[in-house]
Amino acid sequence: MPVRHLRFDVLTIFPAMIAGPTQESIVKRAVEAGLLTVRVHNIRDFASDKHHTTDDTPYGGGAGMVMKPEPVFLAAEHALAEAKSAGECGDDSAIVLLTPQGRLFTQDVAAELAERRHIVLICGRYEGVDERVREHLATDEISIGDYVLTGGELPALVVLDAVARLVPGVLDAESLAEESISSGLLEYPQYTRPASFRGWTVPDVLLSGNHAAIARWRRQQSLLRTLRRRPDLLARAELTPEDRKFLDSLRSEPG
Ligand code: 9D3
């Protein structure tokens, strides 16, 4: 199997917000291993006027500022050209505009993006981005949730992180395998040494060495937590007949 590679180009007026987090931990390791390329481009560098202006007042009036289209288009075109000359894209780059109006980012969207070779992330600032960026440049618009942030930089990092860890080889094989087994449920409780900490002990079953009993306990804990905290997830989870029997037994004895 050929090694897959994914390239991200992040367009922002605050490149330092992206640089730090992508130079740590798992993303850093993946870049060093040649699995990922992360390039950050300062949109200001593509502004043509003396003051490198990236925003302007809205046509029609109103409060706040709007990001000008030209520097964003030039930055994107620069990123696409650079990716092409590095042999790190095809003709199907995803150009994602991070915006509160985008489709909600979920694990399914992350999995979809992880299939691509090249993703351009455009971080908006101010009250918004000139509509022509959305209409004629972006291929996708993503929001990370219903809360108001000051810009698209943190959302871009969220998308980058969630997609990067799905690229084969970025995580160790076991973590992803476990994730798919328990798919759609909340995690079971985890413990490490010591077996007793301030008098709070680890459940006996985890010290028993009985692997079947441990697997059953973990599955039941996942089901219990999902039922109590995120019942909405249970509706879409893959449940075995044994899972359903366990959940039914909980409904007859509440608490
Ligand atoms: C004035 C109305 N505001 C919409 C609620 C405008 C506005 C607020 C905040 C426009 C942009 C922003 C900055 N946020 C993002 O760019 C953003 C975002 C977010 O705020 N929440 C969740 N996901 C995202 S993705 C980009």
Side-chain angles (χ1 to χ4, degrees):
M1 281 251 284
V3 179
R4 289 207 38 234
H5 180 273
L6 177 54
R7 173 175 171 127
F8 291 97
D9 285 88
V10 186
L11 317 185
T12 171
I13 59 167
F14 295 116
M17 283 187 74
I18 308 298
T22 56
Q23 283 162 37
E24 296 286 350
S25 185
I26 289 171
V27 171
K28 176 189 184 177
R29 271 217 327 262
V31 169
E32 287 168 355
L35 298 167
L36 293 182
T37 298
V38 180
R39 295 272 296 122
V40 186
H41 307 274
N42 189 344
I43 292 170
R44 272 178 82 83
D45 293 345
F46 298 88
S48 51
D49 64 310
K50 186 172 67 176
H51 296 105
H52 298 280
T53 313
T54 56
D55 63 331
D56 205 341
T57 52
Y59 274 121
M65 301 293 272
V66 175
M67 263 175 107
K68 292 164 65 63
E70 189 193 44
V72 177
F73 271 82
L74 289 174
E77 284 154 6
H78 172 83
L80 289 166
E82 204 183 86
K84 193 162 196 176
S85 68
E88 292 179 337
C89 68
D91 289 326
D92 60 345
S93 302
I95 304 180
V96 178
L97 178 63
L98 286 311
T99 163
Q101 301 177 38
R103 66 174 166 147
L104 192 62
F105 188 60
T106 62
Q107 191 63 25
D108 287 348
V109 176
E112 187 186 307
L113 289 172
E115 300 293 316
R116 314 294 286 245
R117 289 182 64 193
H118 183 213
I119 300 170
V120 180
L121 299 170
I122 304 175
C123 309
R125 276 275 154 176
Y126 316 116
E127 296 309 299
V129 177
D130 187 285
E131 184 69 5
R132 288 162 291 192
V133 170
R134 191 190 65 73
E135 272 194 327
H136 302 294
L137 181 60
T139 61
D140 208 344
E141 296 171 68
I142 289 176
S143 160
I144 63 163
D146 294 337
Y147 34 80
V148 182
L149 302 171
T150 57
E153 282 76 12
L154 292 173
L157 287 168
V158 166
V159 170
L160 193 155
D161 192 89
V163 173
R165 65 187 287 289
L166 296 177
V167 172
V170 170
L171 289 193
D172 50 281
E174 307 97 79
S175 317
L176 275 184
E178 280 225 354
E179 194 165 281
S180 69
I181 291 165
S182 64
S183 63
L185 296 178
L186 298 183
E187 310 255 294
Y188 51 78
Q190 301 270 25
Y191 296 87
T192 187
R193 279 185 284 271
S196 178
F197 169 67
R198 298 186 178 178
W200 301 309
T201 56
V202 172
D204 284 337
V205 63
L206 298 178
L207 311 175
S208 69
N210 181 340
H211 297 297
I214 291 170
R216 190 166 52 244
W217 181 84
R218 285 179 164 170
R219 184 70 182 182
Q220 292 181 347
Q221 288 293 313
S222 283
L223 291 163
L224 191 58
R225 287 208 160 168
T226 310
L227 180 68
R228 293 283 178 264
R229 299 181 186 196
R230 292 294 304 277
D232 57 303
L233 295 180
L234 269 187
R236 291 189 298 129
E238 286 177 45
L239 301 178
T240 67
E242 204 182 341
D243 291 338
R244 291 183 192 285
K245 245 198 301 188
F246 176 71
L247 287 169
D248 286 342
S249 78
L250 290 172
R251 286 186 188 106
S252 57
E253 41 170 312

